[in-house]
């Protein structure tokens, strides 16, 4: 079983997506099934780390917080662009020491930081755990560090570690 | 334009608002790529279009077609998930490429590698 | 009445998305550096995908949504390939 189907959830999702995009018929089931099994076995060659979700019930809350924050920073960045260079604004880099080590957690944090307009993930040193981000409107460096650490890193550590 | 006339009024107005909001955010983001002066400032501008710009237009299309009931909204969900997952990958790779190029050329304004050392070791 | 408002809104949105593509294309031509061009190529791809989505809302045909999905996939792959190319020489961990 595990040799033939190393990732059963991934295979099932691929098959479901295939049939939703085409049609629900026996022919499409067989064709989609063949593609899904082949693709999930190709995935095994990449040897992805299997994430362990410890407290999945925190995910909806984090999702809500992130959606709201992205909307808020959308408005902030849009006003910065529309104001032009009339207002004093200092862009800059911020180094943040992270305690999160789980690879999937770091990947989700990267998605959050980059999707939020106004912050961009630049570099991460895996040995020291220091993350470098670029901030468009750098008013208070310590505030950005605490926002990233408390709003995003804390719940991600609870979910994944 | 037959199918648009079958829409109930609330759905039509909501769709109209969301479509204009999404397109407006994308346009502001594109103007940002023209206005900002350095690459790392410009990285922030297209994320307006890929976050709520895309989100609002996908929501508009989801509202429109679920009110009409003419087709499932599976494509909207797939596009939304795909854009959210892939944009960070592109932008992270670009930012790392830029930092690598700036460091090898010795340009000014590049954060030094020493920033990545742990604060307690320094 | 509301259908007319919706039609006008979609038309305005399409005009804005075309203007967004023009802005990105201008930066794509002007540069100044390769990474700016790749960034704006990606932004142009996203605007084109959104433009096709608005055409899909306008006509109500499902074929445009499949085209948008394909544009999103192609845009991602090409931008990542170009970004990797800019990083040549670095050993990827």
């Amino acid at each position: 079983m595990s040799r033939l189907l190393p990732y059963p959830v991934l295979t099932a999702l691929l098959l479901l997506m295939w049939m939703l995009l085409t049609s629900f018929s026996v022919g499409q089931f067989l064709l989609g099934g063949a593609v899904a099994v082949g693709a999930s076995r190709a995935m095994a060659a990449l040897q992805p780390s299997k994430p362990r979700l410890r407290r999945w019930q925190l995910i909806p809350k984090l999702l809500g917080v992130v959606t709201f924050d992205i909307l808020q920073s959308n408005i902030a960045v849009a006003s910065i662009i529309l104001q032009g260079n009339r207002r004093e604004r200092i862009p800059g880099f911020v180094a943040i020491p992270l305690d999160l080590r789980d690879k999937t957690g770091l990947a989700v944090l990267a998605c959050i930081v980059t999707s939020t307009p106004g912050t961009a993930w630049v570099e991460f040193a895996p040995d020291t755990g220091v993350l470098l981000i670029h901030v468009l409107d750098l008013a208070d460096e310590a505030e950005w560090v605490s926002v990233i650490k408390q709003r995003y890193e804390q719940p991600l550590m609870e979910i994944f570690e | 334009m037959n199918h648009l006339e079958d829409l109930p009024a609330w759905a039509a107005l909501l769709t109209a608002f969301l479509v204009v909001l999404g397109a407006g955010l994308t346009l502001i983001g594109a103007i940002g790529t023209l206005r900002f002066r350095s690459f790392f400032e410009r990285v922030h501008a297209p994320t307006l279009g890929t976050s709520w710009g895309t989100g609002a237009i996908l929501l508009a299309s989801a509202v429109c077609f679920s009110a009409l009931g003419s087709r499932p909204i599976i494509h909207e969900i797939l596009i939304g998930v795909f854009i959210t997952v892939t944009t960070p990958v592109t932008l992270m790779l670009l930012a790392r490429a830029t930092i690598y190029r700036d460091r090898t050329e010795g340009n000014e304004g590049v954060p030094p590698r020493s920033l990545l050392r742990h604060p307690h070791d320094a | 009445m509301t259908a007319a408002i919706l039609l006008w809104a979609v038309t305005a949105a399409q005009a804005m998305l075309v203007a967004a593509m023009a802005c990105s294309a201008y930066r794509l031509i002007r540069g100044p550096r390769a990474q700016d061009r790749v960034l704006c190529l990606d932004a142009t791809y996203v605007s084109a995908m959104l433009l096709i989505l608005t055409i899909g809302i306008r006509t109500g045909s499902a074929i445009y949504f499949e085209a948008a999905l394909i544009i999103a996939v192609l845009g991602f792959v090409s931008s990542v390939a170009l970004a990797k190319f800019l990083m040549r020489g670095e050993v990827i961990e």
Side-chain angles (χ1 to χ4, degrees):
Chain A
M1 180 66 187
S2 69
R3 282 273 309 280
L4 187 68
L5 285 175
Y7 300 99
V9 182
L10 177 74
T11 315
L13 279 178
L14 278 174
L15 180 57
L16 181 72
M17 194 180 104
W18 180 282
M19 299 201 19
L20 282 170
L21 282 178
T22 52
S23 63
F24 284 88
S25 64
V26 182
Q28 296 290 1
F29 178 79
L30 290 176
L31 191 58
V35 171
V37 169
S40 62
R41 292 188 68 169
M43 184 77 180
L46 296 173
Q47 296 177 329
S49 64
K50 287 201 174 176
R52 285 198 345 267
L53 290 180
R54 260 199 334 131
R55 297 180 60 189
W56 56 269
Q57 61 272 39
L58 285 173
I59 294 177
K61 192 186 155 223
L62 181 67
L63 208 64
V65 166
V66 169
T67 316
F68 179 72
D69 283 359
I70 289 179
L71 185 62
Q72 216 171 27
S73 55
N74 257 298
I75 298 167
V77 172
S79 73
I80 285 176
I81 292 172
L82 291 178
Q83 277 173 1
N85 302 322
R86 268 173 281 152
R87 194 165 65 91
E88 269 310 302
R89 175 180 57 82
I90 312 155
F93 294 92
V94 184
I96 301 168
L98 289 184
D99 301 312
L100 183 68
R101 284 295 179 278
D102 183 80
K103 276 186 179 161
T104 321
L106 282 170
V108 176
L109 184 64
C111 280
I112 295 173
V113 168
T114 318
S115 308
T116 314
T119 54
W121 177 289
V122 179
E123 214 173 10
F124 177 69
D127 47 344
T128 56
V130 176
L131 163 71
L132 193 66
I133 64 170
H134 185 269
V135 178
L136 188 58
D137 192 0
L138 186 63
D140 184 3
E141 200 174 318
E143 198 195 316
W144 280 106
V145 174
S146 76
V147 163
I148 299 277
K149 282 194 81 73
Q150 272 159 24
R151 267 185 104 87
Y152 308 133
E153 192 195 5
Q154 201 62 44
L156 281 174
M157 280 176 79
E158 281 177 33
I159 292 170
F160 287 108
E161 283 187 354
Chain B
M1 293 306 127
N2 289 324
H3 74 286
L4 290 183
E5 282 170 13
D6 299 336
L7 266 183
W10 64 270
L13 291 179
L14 189 59
T15 309
F17 171 71
L18 285 172
V19 162
V20 172
L21 175 74
L25 278 175
T26 313
L27 178 58
I28 292 173
I31 292 172
T33 60
L34 290 183
R35 276 207 170 164
F36 290 143
R37 277 160 301 188
S38 73
F39 173 78
F40 278 107
E41 285 174 80
R42 283 197 279 270
V43 161
H44 301 290
T47 48
L48 279 178
T50 55
S51 57
W52 269 94
T54 309
I57 291 189
L58 288 175
L59 265 180
S61 143
V63 166
C64 177
F65 289 104
S66 29
L68 284 174
S70 57
R71 63 176 193 84
I73 54 166
I74 186 75
H75 289 93
E76 280 87 343
I77 298 168
L78 276 181
I79 293 173
V81 169
F82 193 79
I83 291 286
T84 333
V85 173
T86 57
T87 317
V89 178
T90 316
L91 293 184
M92 272 164 72
L93 273 175
L94 263 180
R96 288 185 55 185
T98 310
I99 264 216
Y100 168 73
R101 278 163 67 102
D102 279 351
R103 277 194 186 131
T104 46
E105 289 166 17
N107 289 346
E108 277 182 30
V110 192
R113 280 206 81 92
S114 59
L115 266 180
L116 292 176
R117 251 181 270 138
H118 204 272
H120 303 302
D121 303 345
Chain C
M1 173 59 195
T2 48
I5 292 175
L6 179 54
L7 199 58
W8 272 104
V10 171
T11 313
Q14 284 174 338
M16 282 197 264
L17 286 171
V18 170
M21 279 175 83
C23 290
S24 311
Y26 180 70
R27 180 56 87 183
L28 176 73
I29 293 163
R30 252 198 53 198
R33 305 210 49 205
Q35 53 263 35
D36 295 297
R37 295 177 209 267
V38 178
L39 180 73
C40 288
L41 182 68
D42 195 53
T44 318
Y45 261 116
V46 172
S47 313
M49 188 205 74
L50 293 179
L51 187 62
I52 289 195
L53 281 181
T54 53
I55 298 177
I57 294 176
R58 196 179 187 133
T59 58
S61 159
I63 197 87
Y64 289 106
F65 293 88
E66 294 186 0
L69 198 54
I70 290 170
I71 287 187
V73 175
L74 284 182
F76 167 64
V77 172
S78 67
S79 309
V80 164
L82 283 168
K84 277 271 184 201
F85 175 70
L86 293 184
M87 252 204 293
R88 69 193 186 281
E90 180 173 301
V91 182
I92 316 290
E93 82 254 73

